[in-house]
Amino acid sequence: MDAAGTAMIDDQELAQRLRAAGLKATRARLLVLEVLQETGPHLSTDELVEALDARGTPLPRGSVYNVVGALATHGLMMVTDIGPGRALYELAERWHHHFVCRTCGRIEDVECVVGQSPCLDPGQVDGEVDEAQVIFRGICTKCRD
C-alpha cells in the first residue's frame, strides 16, 4: 500500500505504462514512479531527489528534472497546479483539483465533478483546450479550530 492507502503497482506494470506512453522503461523513470507511489502526491523535484537519496537509490537532480518532464509530457505524471511557486508532481491516475490551505499550505485532492480533463469549457479560445485545473483556497479545519 502507498501513503494514501491504495494498492501499489509493481515494476512490471510501471514499465508497461511507460512503454504504452511511448517511453523506454529506464531505471530513472521507474525509480521516480516508485517514489511517487510510496511517498504520495504533491512532491517537488527537490523532494523527489531527497526521497530517492533516503531510500538508497540516488539520482542526479538534472536526471530527475528530465524524468518528471518526460513523464508529465507523456501523461504519466501530473503537475499539481497550486498557483505560483515550486512545481509539484503526482501520478496521473485520475483527474482532480486541489484545495490549498492559506495558513499551513496543506494540499488536499478535490474530486472533479466531471472526472476528466478538460472539465470546464472556456468558451471561445484560439486553440484546443486539453486541460483545466481549479484551485480552491481557504483555511483547513485544523487551522480554523
Side-chain angles (χ1 to χ4, degrees):
M1 295 288 207
D2 67 7
T6 56
M8 298 276 283
I9 301 166
D10 64 24
D11 282 355
Q12 197 169 34
E13 186 172 334
L14 289 175
Q16 288 173 346
R17 287 185 181 190
L18 285 164
R19 287 190 290 273
L23 294 168
K24 290 182 180 179
T26 65
R27 176 180 177 271
R29 290 174 181 154
L30 288 168
L31 288 173
V32 168
L33 288 172
E34 288 170 4
V35 165
L36 280 171
Q37 269 196 135
E38 293 166 6
T39 309
H42 317 135
L43 296 179
S44 69
T45 304
D46 288 340
E47 290 167 327
L48 285 167
V49 168
E50 290 170 12
L52 288 161
D53 286 345
R55 69 193 298 260
T57 55
L59 289 174
R61 186 172 311 282
S63 295
V64 175
Y65 274 101
N66 290 337
V67 166
V68 296
L71 295 176
T73 298
H74 287 83
L76 295 171
M77 181 182 283
M78 290 174 55
V79 178
T80 302
D81 190 350
I82 60 166
R86 64 190 176 147
L88 302 177
Y89 301 95
E90 60 188 297
L91 294 176
E93 297 179 318
R94 74 196 192 319
W95 189 253
H96 61 279
H97 304 292
H98 297 95
F99 169 81
V100 180
C101 178
R102 290 185 192 276
T103 303
C104 68
R106 187 175 124 237
I107 303 166
E108 183 179 319
D109 289 353
V110 176
E111 293 302 318
C112 176
V113 177
V114 176
Q116 65 186 19
S117 182
C119 59
L120 300 170
D121 181 2
Q124 289 293 89
V125 295
D126 187 19
E128 181 179 322
V129 175
D130 63 8
E131 180 178 311
Q133 292 195 31
V134 177
I135 306 168
F136 298 93
R137 295 191 191 284
I139 308 297
C140 71
T141 305
K142 189 175 181 181
C143 291
R144 192 182 63 209
D145 294 337

